[in-house]
Amino acid sequence: MCEDCGCGDPEVVPIEVQKRILGNNDRVAQHNREHFFKQGVLALNLMGSPGSGKTALLEATARTAGPRLRIGAVSGDLATDHDGERLRKAGIPALTITTGTACHLDARLVHDALHDFPLEGVDVFFIENVGNLVCPAIYDLGQAANVVALSVTEGEDKPLKYPAMFRAADLVLLTKIDLLPALPEVRIEAFAEALARVNPAPRILPISARTMEGMAEWLSWLAALRAASRSVEPRQFVSRPAAILRGETR
Amino acid sequence: MHEYSIVQALIALVEAEAAERGATKVHALRVGLGELAGVEPSLLSTAFETFRERTICAGADLNLRRIPAQWSCPRCALEILRGAPLQCSGCGGPARLVQGDELVLESIDLEVN
């Protein structure tokens, strides 16, 4: 009650809080990150639109890398285990996280899936997020870096339309470039120009899971990032290993 | 649409703060929302109006403080113009975000007895 005049009105006090709304998610993500680090696993958050070629990319990556780079994956989907089945068929130990109506994975979902996923013998662990260019961008999962798959048919202006997603991308894989001969109006440079307006350290790699063009560069990037990620303590800053790879010292 | 899950996290955070201070009611809360936070202000407000019922936030006002994105070069301190490439026009290095990715519960007006 108001103690100043005894009027009986309740007392309203302003309280300074200044806390991140997703602070709980951040804490679980950091726990995941430390777990990956201890296991010596490079964890990547693979994002992109539905149909951008995320699963095909992982299939092709496993095929090309073979035992040189052993891949594991969890795949987030609103419904069905289709992607998980595809990945397992490609020889990738994989689990599906069914999210129901949720449009993104969060750190807790990944954490719980890790309980059922032995990371021994895995070099690179892909978290294939729900196909969506909006929601997954803001949830830290404990990954060392973000990879965004963007297919050549989606339009060069996608980075400008989804700045939160593309700002967070340590690498943009421009997928399905085998289709370019059928798309004379599409220029790879236009994707790169748009990306440079939303991402301070833009990196774009044209790739095709069908012709395997770009696959060698992609595997080199993964191997180099894996080495960089082992040289730093896991920190809250997701992009740190990628920054080291770019030669930035902060 | 992830605004609903953000509102759930927001209300849980408010409930914890209120419980810690023995508050019985929340009159208003202020959220700092960056342009690049990946959250749509109007969707967040709608989600809050739906979810606040039957929580300690019932009847509380959500005040959004929108924070524009601002980039500058960490080496040259040059500010990057809106919409321009995010590489410094002086040294070519990557710009750094000064502000604009906030998703923060800044303050709460609590009723205490």
Side-chain angles (χ1 to χ4, degrees), chain A residues 191-210:
Chain A
F191 286 100
E193 283 158 22
L195 184 63
R197 289 175 195 275
V198 297
N199 186 315
R203 199 184 150 95
I204 196 161
L205 175 58
I207 198 163
S208 165
R210 180 174 288 165

Side-chain angles (χ1 to χ4, degrees), chain A residues 6 16 19 61 72 105 160 175 190 222:
Chain A
E16 244 344 77
K19 285 189 181 164
T61 306
L105 292 176
L160 301 176
T175 59
L222 287 175

Side-chain angles (χ1 to χ4, degrees), chain A residues 1-3 9-24 27 101 103-104 132 134-139 160 163-164 167 193 195-202 246 248-250, chain B residues 1-3 5-7 9-10 12-13 17 20-21 27 30-32 36-39 44 71 83-87 93-97 100-113:
Chain A
M1 294 293 166
C2 164
E3 286 169 5
D9 281 349
E11 192 180 353
V12 178
V13 290
I15 304 285
E16 244 344 77
V17 181
Q18 300 297 349
K19 285 189 181 164
R20 274 179 52 80
I21 293 172
L22 296 179
N24 266 334
R27 277 185 285 281
T101 55
C103 49
H104 59 272
N132 182 335
V134 183
C135 316
I138 70 168
Y139 289 86
L160 301 176
R167 176 173 82 90
E193 283 158 22
L195 184 63
R197 289 175 195 275
V198 297
N199 186 315
R246 290 192 299 266
E248 288 167 28
T249 47
R250 287 196 276 198
Chain B
M1 191 170 95
H2 54 303
E3 279 75 9
S5 35
I6 290 167
V7 162
L10 173 63
L13 187 54
E17 293 291 322
E20 201 176 297
R21 293 170 171 85
H27 282 242
R30 190 169 74 151
V31 165
L36 291 175
V39 174
L44 188 69
W71 295 84
L86 299 176
Q87 295 74 45
R96 187 178 295 171
L97 191 69
D101 66 345
E102 298 81 357
L103 182 54
V104 174
L105 174 61
E106 296 183 333
S107 63
I108 323 174
D109 289 348
L110 290 177
E111 182 175 317
V112 289
N113 286 315

Side-chain angles (χ1 to χ4, degrees), chain A residues 43-86:
Chain A
L44 297 173
N45 184 3
L46 177 60
M47 297 175 279
S49 308
S52 58
K54 297 183 291 299
T55 310
L57 181 87
L58 293 185
E59 291 169 323
T61 306
R63 258 200 318 276
T64 317
R68 277 183 300 154
L69 207 62
R70 295 161 301 173
I71 290 168
V74 289
S75 170
D77 249 317
L78 272 68
T80 83
D81 181 36
H82 290 174
D83 286 359
E85 282 169 21
R86 278 177 62 184

